[in-house]
Amino acid sequence: MAVTIHQLRKWKEKGRPISVLTAWDYAFASLLDQAGIDVLLVGDSLAMVALGYPTTLSLSLEEMLYHAQAVTRGVNHALVVCDLPFLSYQESPQQALRSAGTLLQQAGIAAVKVEGGYPDMVNTVHYLVERGIPVMGHVGLTPQSVHQFSGYRRQGTSDPEADRILQEAIALETAGAFAIVLEHIPHPLASKISQTLKIPTIGIGAGAGCDGQVLVTADLLGLSEWQPPFAKVYSNLQDSITGAVQQFCDDVRNHQFPQ
Ligand code: KIV
């Protein structure tokens, strides 16, 4: 049975942790889906891990649409959520509605994710939700603000900052967000937010107190050039792929393939 937003809320109530991974193409999406992942996020981290851009800021809505379409073709079970790319939603709620609508209509995703919990973004979330578009929030380290943060630094380390992040999470829930990503914040703060909110929190570098966990799939599989300190590398595909390709080259050069 396909995962629904309602199901995520039920899982939080039952204390059943939610698994989330990123996907950017058909091949990985179908593998992750068949392996039983709950939620697939077409995260704008694909700008870096799949397209070689230096940050997520360069990704366009058109590129995101292309990748989201490939992902949904591979998914039967997981809930598919898609990031709204930088500058495709910050201008106004109407701009966000057009961008989200394009992704829902043309890629068949179920929900969008937006970064930030400042008042204008909370209004945008409310605007989208009222018009039937489910929204996942994202607070703490929001990578589209990397320059504002002077790097991918942990957020919420001072009391006023921690309180601001808590208030943002509460405001996003009140605006109708169905879940919130908490990225790279102190673990006690993430636990407090998770206990305060009724909607599920999905942590990345935010500790075990969240209702679910997300990783960038390229980090989990050892495919990215650089991993953040909180990522766990479950498999080193970079070595496996390099080894297989070197073996193929040797076999061709030594007349071992085809035999
Ligand atoms: O783009 C992404 O991969 C994300 C996750 C890190 C949450 O937003």
Side-chain angles (χ1 to χ4, degrees), residues 7-229:
Q7 182 74 67
L8 300 185
R9 183 76 166 252
K10 288 269 165 238
W11 281 336
K12 171 162 179 145
E13 284 163 17
K14 286 188 185 149
R16 189 292 212 169
I18 299 162
S19 59
V20 185
L21 282 173
T22 65
W24 52 87
D25 67 9
Y26 170 83
F28 275 109
S30 28
L31 279 173
L32 302 174
D33 191 51
Q34 283 161 31
I37 196 75
D38 297 324
V39 179
L40 277 178
L41 172 66
V42 192
D44 60 0
S45 55
L46 76 82
M48 296 152 90
V49 300
L51 300 180
Y53 288 131
T55 68
T56 58
L57 304 182
S58 309
L59 190 74
S60 67
L61 184 64
E62 290 69 29
E63 288 168 318
M64 187 52 121
L65 177 61
Y66 175 82
H67 285 273
Q69 286 171 330
V71 167
T72 51
R73 276 182 221 124
V75 176
N76 289 314
H77 167 79
L79 183 81
V80 182
V81 181
C82 185
D83 264 330
L84 286 185
F86 181 60
L87 291 193
S88 75
Y89 65 104
Q90 288 94 342
E91 207 172 291
S92 66
Q94 290 77 9
Q95 185 207 23
L97 179 65
R98 279 193 300 277
S99 301
T102 299
L103 291 167
L104 263 77
Q105 275 189 327
Q106 296 182 33
I109 57 149
V112 294
K113 177 164 81 58
V114 299
E115 294 188 5
Y118 49 93
D120 277 354
M121 193 48 60
V122 171
N123 284 342
T124 292
V125 170
H126 182 66
Y127 188 85
L128 293 179
V129 172
E130 279 212 314
R131 284 156 183 78
I133 298 185
V135 183
M136 180 182 269
H138 185 159
V139 297
L141 170 55
T142 45
Q144 291 177 10
S145 304
V146 58
H147 298 306
Q148 183 76 15
F149 294 147
S150 301
Y152 296 104
R153 295 164 185 277
R154 200 152 70 116
Q155 301 296 305
T157 49
S158 68
D159 284 349
E161 229 187 73
D163 190 52
R164 179 183 52 76
I165 293 171
L166 170 65
Q167 295 312 322
E168 286 180 351
I170 293 170
L172 287 167
E173 174 175 80
T174 307
F178 72 88
I180 300 190
V181 169
L182 305 177
E183 181 162 353
H184 211 8
I185 59 173
H187 300 183
L189 172 60
S191 299
K192 185 172 172 186
I193 295 174
S194 305
Q195 285 156 20
T196 306
L197 301 188
K198 289 202 169 56
I199 58 172
T201 59
I202 309 295
I204 174 161
C210 301
D211 304 303
Q213 298 292 330
V214 56
L215 280 181
V216 173
T217 297
D219 294 340
L220 171 134
L221 296 177
L223 279 174
S224 38
E225 283 155 17
W226 169 89
Q227 284 101 22

